[in-house]
Amino acid sequence: DSGVTQTPKHLITATGQRVTLRCSPRSGDLSVYWYQQSLDQGLQFLIQYYNGEERAKGNILERFSAQQFPDLHSELNLSSLELGDSALYFCATSGGSHTQYFGPGTRLTVL
Amino acid sequence: ILNVEQSPQSLHVQEGDSTNFTCSFPSSNFYALHWYRWETAKSPEALFVMTLNGDEKKKGRISATLNTKEGYSYLYIKGSQPEDSATYLCALLSGAGSYQLTFGKGTKLSVIP
């Protein structure tokens, strides 16, 4: 158990809908990273927040957005969902070192 | 776009065999290399973070080496056990100001009892 929690575990929704994925970091970790794992793709970095502010942006679509709250938990918002957005979404958190600790992931299925 | 390559894509070995696999990355802008172990239905678990050329890290029967000049890292597993079956991912952290990890697609190891 990494100490990082993600909810929900599974999410099934329809095209065009909007969903929110939630991540709670390990105690003391200020950085949160979001990744997407699609079929046949490696883990793709989406975005990083550090202590409430956006720090780095990867291959994140404009339909997706994220934020980190004062209590350091983070939410990833996915809107106007398409079939191709079906994937496993991980968050990872880190403290002073560069080691990232991954949560259990949210499996999103868009029908 | 950084290209992190891992080979082989998959590997089947007998219990007790030793094995190794490769991670290749562009050596320019290198800052750190991460190795993760990812068991089915679980989340990736950090194995090593390597930063120095010539670095060698060990955790039980698993060890890793790093060559930043030529852009590769090897992961070795000595005396493979069925519980070592997992996908092993490497990820490149490039540039001191960037905390973005670029992952390879992984090497899937199956250890046959």
Side-chain angles (χ1 to χ4, degrees):
Chain A
D1 183 0
S2 66
V4 179
T5 59
Q6 284 187 251
T7 56
K9 255 187 156 169
H10 302 276
L11 199 48
I12 301 173
T13 189
T15 53
Q17 295 298 303
R18 181 180 192 275
V19 297
T20 298
L21 314 184
R22 184 188 166 105
C23 170
S24 293
R26 294 185 325 153
S27 176
D29 282 358
L30 299 180
S31 279
V32 174
Y33 310 79
W34 285 97
Y35 293 91
Q36 180 192 56
Q37 163 102 42
S38 304
L39 206 61
D40 291 335
Q41 295 288 320
L43 279 165
Q44 299 287 316
F45 170 74
L46 295 177
I47 197 164
Q48 180 207 355
Y49 275 80
Y50 176 81
N51 203 20
E53 299 208 354
E54 184 183 302
R55 176 66 74 93
K57 219 165 183 174
N59 299 322
I60 188 165
L61 299 170
E62 281 193 22
R63 300 184 284 109
F64 295 2
S65 65
Q67 53 184 327
Q68 187 180 26
F69 294 87
D71 68 352
L72 301 177
H73 90 271
S74 178
E75 291 180 357
L76 179 68
N77 301 296
L78 316 175
S79 61
S80 303
L81 284 167
E82 301 174 1
L83 295 176
D85 297 328
S86 295
L88 196 49
Y89 290 85
F90 282 106
C91 81
T93 75
S94 68
S97 75
H98 289 296
T99 300
Q100 295 186 19
Y101 297 89
F102 282 76
T106 293
R107 183 167 292 283
L108 173 68
T109 303
V110 182
L111 300 174
Chain B
I1 297 175
L2 295 172
N3 209 19
V4 177
E5 300 280 347
Q6 288 190 250
S7 62
Q9 201 172 345
S10 64
L11 195 52
H12 290 78
V13 301
Q14 288 293 137
E15 183 175 351
D17 286 353
S18 294
T19 187
N20 65 85
F21 16 96
T22 308
C23 172
S24 303
F25 53 86
S27 52
S28 57
N29 292 324
F30 173 88
Y31 189 72
L33 189 84
H34 293 224
W35 279 101
Y36 285 84
R37 172 190 151 89
W38 191 359
E39 284 182 77
T40 305
K42 294 190 177 177
S43 50
E45 175 194 347
L47 285 173
F48 306 115
V49 178
M50 309 178 79
T51 54
L52 299 175
N53 185 41
D55 222 357
E56 194 167 329
K57 299 254 178 168
K58 193 171 178 183
K59 194 175 186 176
R61 294 179 291 98
I62 305 178
S63 60
T65 60
L66 178 67
N67 183 322
T68 59
K69 291 185 198 284
E70 293 181 43
Y72 65 83
S73 175
Y74 293 138
L75 190 82
Y76 299 91
I77 302 179
K78 189 177 173 183
S80 303
Q81 298 297 308
E83 58 264 30
D84 296 329
S85 297
T87 296
Y88 291 83
L89 299 169
C90 71
L92 177 70
L93 187 70
S94 58
S98 161
Y99 300 95
Q100 177 174 338
L101 281 176
T102 301
F103 280 85
K105 290 189 178 179
T107 292
K108 185 171 182 178
L109 174 68
S110 301
V111 181
I112 304 157

